[in-house]
Amino acid sequence: AAGVADCETLSNIFTPKFEANPTDMVLINKIMKMLNRQECEDGALYSKVAEQKYNLEPSADAAHNLAKMFFKKKQFSKSKGYFEKSIALEEDVEVKAEIHFKLAIILLSEHKLVDSRKNALAAIKNKPGWGQPYIVIGKCYAAGSKDFPGKVHEKQALYWVAVDKFMKAKSVDPECAAEANKLIHTYSKYFPAKEEGFMQGL
């Protein structure tokens, strides 16, 4: 647990410095850089410094730091607000893509499927060739199947659409092939039987 020790060490060194100079932006940025590098988003120092940075200079970067912190603490509603603020301020398309993707994950967990899909599509638009957002879109369709009004075979057909997205994910991005294959295997079981589809005129 070298990371934990490093976060503790950084906290011990920088907490007194920050408390002595809470408006020193040079110091604040230095601390944020180090804490981000060590992935110390869930510590008390990160929380204090990130909020102070945003209060002093509300920027995309500051909003993103807070969003990441709340995301890591699983405080998704707070995280969502700061992700939305950082999207509005962010100009780097790659970073924008990542923020949209994280928002899509939060919205999927809240079963807000339309908004989740919208953010996943925005992530793809900002970063084409990234497979993970397609996986989220597939999961949205799979999750939506339960709520879909209609006959059983129509509900099941949504799993076709979901699997199509998982196929797309691995075709554009080999890095997510393992996850995509697992999901394809899971959801292919729910496909409507061929005879059933034929009887319904599909």
Side-chain angles (χ1 to χ4, degrees):
V4 177
D6 291 341
C7 290
E8 237 169 80
T9 309
L10 288 172
S11 179
N12 292 339
I13 296 167
F14 286 106
T15 301
K17 288 188 180 176
F18 170 66
E19 282 167 0
N21 304 285
T23 56
D24 180 345
M25 277 313 279
V26 176
L27 177 67
I28 286 171
N29 286 327
K30 183 180 171 185
I31 296 172
M32 287 309 299
K33 201 176 196 170
M34 289 186 172
L35 295 177
N36 275 324
R37 197 183 295 148
Q38 295 293 343
E39 296 181 2
C40 305
E41 289 97 347
D42 38 11
L45 178 62
Y46 192 100
S47 168
K48 278 185 230 167
V49 180
E51 294 201 50
Q52 178 68 338
K53 180 177 161 85
Y54 187 78
N55 291 335
L56 293 171
E57 284 182 14
S59 65
D61 187 37
H64 195 188
N65 285 329
L66 282 167
K68 281 192 299 191
M69 174 186 87
F70 288 121
F71 189 78
K72 203 160 180 180
K73 290 181 173 179
K74 296 191 167 43
Q75 293 178 12
F76 293 134
S77 61
K78 279 187 173 178
S79 180
K80 203 163 56 175
Y82 282 110
F83 275 135
E84 281 160 359
K85 285 189 177 108
S86 62
I87 281 174
L89 297 162
E90 184 57 64
E91 284 167 15
D92 181 317
V93 287
E94 290 247 332
V95 177
K96 226 176 185 142
E98 279 172 38
I99 299 168
H100 276 296
F101 174 66
K102 282 182 180 145
L103 258 177
I105 292 175
I106 294 173
L107 291 159
L108 175 61
S109 76
E110 295 175 340
H111 206 72
K112 292 180 178 151
L113 305 178
V114 174
D115 289 339
S116 176
R117 179 175 170 269
K118 207 188 298 173
N119 275 283
L121 288 168
I124 292 163
K125 191 176 156 219
N126 282 292
K127 192 176 172 182
W130 187 19
Q132 286 296 336
Y134 286 106
I135 286 186
V136 171
I137 295 171
K139 286 179 176 175
C140 285
Y141 282 113
S145 168
K146 293 190 280 293
D147 311 327
F148 191 68
K151 301 190 179 77
V152 171
H153 75 277
E154 289 171 331
K155 285 176 181 283
Q156 289 171 325
L158 273 180
Y159 291 122
W160 269 336
V161 185
V163 165
D164 186 55
K165 297 298 171 194
F166 301 142
M167 303 279 244
K168 177 79 178 169
K170 65 175 190 169
S171 76
V172 300
D173 182 0
E175 271 187 30
C176 57
E179 189 183 354
N181 286 333
K182 215 180 279 177
L183 289 161
I184 290 165
H185 178 70
T186 302
Y187 288 108
S188 300
K189 294 176 196 155
Y190 299 113
F191 282 1
K194 280 201 179 67
E195 300 75 18
E196 167 100 2
F198 182 71
M199 297 286 287
Q200 304 289 350
L202 280 179

